[in-house]
């Protein structure tokens, strides 16, 4: 492979930083990325060879159609932010919107892809086939923008879709190219336990939903520890427990609410979790005379890395100067890129951006989340080389 190295992309670094810092300062929540969409369209419309499409919602598709025989390659970036108050007060480009923050790196994903579009425009004569830059809305909120985009049927014709995530948990220079599952099924439940309230001194006249809820939380933990192999990856986390009022601690409440997140790395495990949670909740409530309602939501599926395409991406990553390429286990976070990987051969990788020396090692979704901006050049290299190297590799 004739890998395009960072020195050949140095002229694009200023644009990369400009985009990133503007987007970071102006975050928007899922399904609300109106100004972000306008910003992307404004700058991409200046390119000579780009065709701009608004597929659905606040998403943007930038197409480079060469008219020459060749593959149709999609490159995806997500554009939304999170409802988090940023605590990176030292940044000149800190979020200008209170309570909204790019705390997951989507501003970086978008800026890398916008910058790659400048490269494709300036090297248009070297391209074949078509290149689709997919700026996807609403990755952070179920049901996810990717599902809306896939539902249009527009992306079925692509030969390959590549996605990447900047990752604060990986040191800068590390590229994680996973085999098979790259991210997990991401499901959720809300449970309403209807008991019978009463006086705290007379529990015999009540049906205590708090006790029932506590038992259910404990029972749910046995699903992972006793019903799946320790060699398989799965998590059930009950993250919400609400009942009663602190102003009425002498009252046994009528109702208790539970809620949680369920992560699994296979369809068999996904269905086991759903069926067993439902059975445990119903049987426990019935045992004590309570009733229940269960709202169980199947969210994002597994993002699956196609073996053939992933071998190609790994070959590129191995050619990136100064990079350390690893193949870690499936990430148990959710990623709605899975909607694309379910219809088109895909690869999704994680690009290191952590640097403890610069205090950039907080986890994603943290108020102090940050990334060493030098890591963006590795992501830019990958995006450009995926397009440049694909025709020769798969000839």
């Amino acid at each position: 492979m004739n890998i395009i190295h960072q020195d050949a992309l140095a002229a694009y670094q200023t644009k990369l930083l400009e985009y990133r810092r503007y987007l970071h300062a102006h975050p928007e929540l899922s399904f609300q990325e109106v100004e972000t969409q306008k910003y992307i369209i404004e700058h991409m419309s200046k390119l000579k060879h780009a065709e701009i499409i608004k597929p659905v919602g606040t998403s943007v598709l930038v197409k480079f159609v060469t008219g020459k025989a060749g593959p149709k390659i999609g490159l995806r970036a997500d554009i939304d932010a999170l409802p988090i108050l940023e605590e990176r007060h030292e940044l000149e480009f800190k979020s200008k919107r209170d309570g909204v923050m790019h705390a997951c790196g989507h501003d970086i994903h978008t800026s890398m892809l916008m910058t790659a579009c400048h490269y494709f425009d300036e090297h248009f004569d070297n391209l074949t086939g078509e290149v689709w830059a997919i700026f996807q809305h609403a990755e952070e909120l179920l049901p996810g923008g990717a599902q809306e985009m896939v539902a249009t049927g527009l992306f079925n014709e692509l030969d390959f879709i590549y996605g990447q995530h900047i990752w604060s948990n990986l040191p800068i220079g590390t590229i994680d190219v996973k085999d098979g599952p790259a991210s997990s099924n991401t499901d959720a439940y809300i449970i309403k336990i209807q008991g019978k309230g009463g006086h705290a001194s007379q529990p015999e006249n009540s049906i205590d939903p708090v006790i029932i809820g506590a038992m259910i939380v404990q029972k749910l933990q046995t699903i992972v520890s006793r019903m799946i192999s320790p060699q398989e990856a799965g998590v059930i986390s009950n993250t919400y427990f609400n009942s009663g009022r602190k102003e009425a601690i002498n009252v046994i409440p009528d109702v208790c609410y539970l809620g949680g997140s369920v992560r699994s790395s296979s369809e068999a495990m996904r269905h086991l979790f759903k069926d067993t949670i439902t059975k445990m909740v119903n049987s426990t409530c019935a045992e004590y005379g309570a009733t229940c309602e269960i709202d169980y939501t199947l969210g994002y599926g597994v993002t699956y890395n196609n073996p053939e395409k992933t071998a190609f991406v790994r070959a590129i990553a191995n050619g990136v100067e100064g990079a350390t390429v690893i193949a870690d286990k499936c990430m148990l976070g959710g990623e709605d890129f899975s909607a694309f990987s379910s219809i088109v051969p895909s690869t999704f990788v994680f690009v290191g951006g952590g640097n403890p020396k610069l205090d950039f090692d907080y986890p994603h979704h943290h108020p102090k989340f940050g990334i060493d901006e030098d890591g963006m050049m590795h992501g830019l290299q990958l995006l450009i080389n995926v397009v440049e190297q694909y025709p020769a590799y798969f000839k």
Side-chain angles (χ1 to χ4, degrees), residues 77 118 165 168 208 289 303 327 334 378 383:
H118 281 275
H165 205 306
S168 66
D208 191 342
T303 294
H378 287 146
L383 289 168

Side-chain angles (χ1 to χ4, degrees), residues 48-64:
K48 295 179 181 179
H49 304 288
E51 176 186 349
I52 312 295
I53 298 171
K54 292 196 277 188
V56 64
T58 45
S59 63
V60 182
L61 174 60
V62 180
K63 295 175 68 172
F64 297 90

Side-chain angles (χ1 to χ4, degrees), residues 4-312:
I4 298 167
H5 293 294
Q6 287 191 26
D7 56 358
L9 303 176
Y12 297 92
Q13 191 163 20
T14 299
K15 183 67 69 178
L16 181 61
L17 292 173
E18 173 192 334
Y19 286 152
R20 189 266 161 143
R21 294 179 180 185
Y22 176 87
L23 290 166
H24 190 86
H26 300 86
E28 294 181 295
L29 297 175
S30 303
F31 299 105
Q32 302 175 31
E33 310 95 326
V34 175
E35 296 303 318
T36 304
Q37 182 190 54
K38 289 180 181 177
Y39 182 78
I40 295 168
I41 292 173
E42 175 191 352
H43 288 273
M44 296 297 94
S45 295
K46 297 175 183 178
L47 304 180
K48 295 179 181 179
H49 304 288
E51 176 186 349
I52 312 295
I53 298 171
K54 292 196 277 188
V56 64
T58 45
S59 63
V60 182
L61 174 60
V62 180
K63 295 175 68 172
F64 297 90
V65 181
T66 68
K68 295 182 284 188
K72 292 184 178 180
I73 300 173
L75 306 172
R76 177 271 204 170
D78 35 19
I79 69 175
D80 57 328
L82 287 156
I84 294 173
L85 180 64
E86 185 165 18
E87 295 179 6
R88 281 283 181 184
H89 305 297
E90 77 279 8
L91 296 181
E92 294 180 3
F93 51 93
K94 177 180 175 285
S95 173
K96 297 181 183 296
R97 294 173 178 154
D98 286 345
V100 184
M101 175 191 175
H102 271 295
C104 201
H106 296 187
D107 53 328
I108 292 174
H109 305 163
T110 302
S111 61
M112 289 190 296
L113 186 52
M114 290 177 69
T115 305
C117 285
H118 281 275
Y119 178 93
F120 300 139
D121 195 60
E122 294 172 10
H123 296 80
F124 184 76
D125 290 342
N126 296 336
L127 302 178
T128 61
E130 298 182 15
V131 180
W132 295 18
I134 305 164
F135 296 93
Q136 181 220 304
H137 62 308
E139 191 279 331
E140 295 286 2
L141 185 64
L142 291 174
Q147 293 192 43
E148 288 190 348
M149 298 186 81
V150 165
T152 67
L154 184 64
F155 301 92
N156 292 17
E157 64 186 85
L158 291 173
D159 296 298
F160 175 52
I161 298 182
Y162 171 77
Q164 59 185 16
H165 205 306
I166 197 77
W167 209 242
S168 66
N169 295 341
L170 292 176
I172 189 169
T174 303
I175 302 174
D176 180 10
V177 186
K178 302 179 188 297
D179 294 302
S183 69
S184 72
N185 296 310
T186 307
D187 304 327
Y189 61 84
I190 295 291
I191 300 165
K192 177 184 177 181
I193 303 168
Q194 182 64 58
K196 179 183 176 183
H199 200 285
S201 68
Q202 299 175 324
E204 72 278 12
N205 295 324
S206 304
I207 299 174
D208 191 342
V210 176
I211 293 294
I212 298 169
M215 289 183 175
I216 289 172
V217 170
Q218 288 187 307
K219 285 183 176 182
L220 295 185
Q221 300 312 304
T222 66
I223 300 174
V224 173
S225 67
R226 288 297 177 266
M227 295 187 183
I228 69 169
S229 167
Q231 297 180 343
E232 293 190 77
V235 177
I236 299 175
S237 293
N238 197 100
T239 56
Y240 173 66
F241 193 127
N242 186 35
S243 187
R245 295 165 48 229
K246 65 180 180 180
E247 297 87 0
I249 58 174
N250 65 334
V251 176
I252 294 174
D254 254 351
V255 178
C256 179
Y257 293 93
L258 306 179
S261 177
V262 184
R263 309 299 173 111
S264 55
S265 52
S266 70
E267 282 304 303
M269 191 191 306
R270 184 180 216 180
H271 292 298
L272 170 68
F273 281 173
K274 182 185 179 195
D275 293 345
T276 307
I277 289 171
T278 302
K279 180 179 179 181
M280 281 186 171
V281 172
N282 280 317
S283 63
T284 305
C285 288
E287 186 178 358
Y288 290 93
T291 59
C292 62
E293 298 174 12
I294 306 171
D295 182 6
Y296 200 102
T297 302
L298 295 179
Y300 305 153
V302 167
T303 294
Y304 183 76
N305 281 348
N306 176 274
E308 184 183 29
K309 309 298 184 183
T310 300
F312 159 65

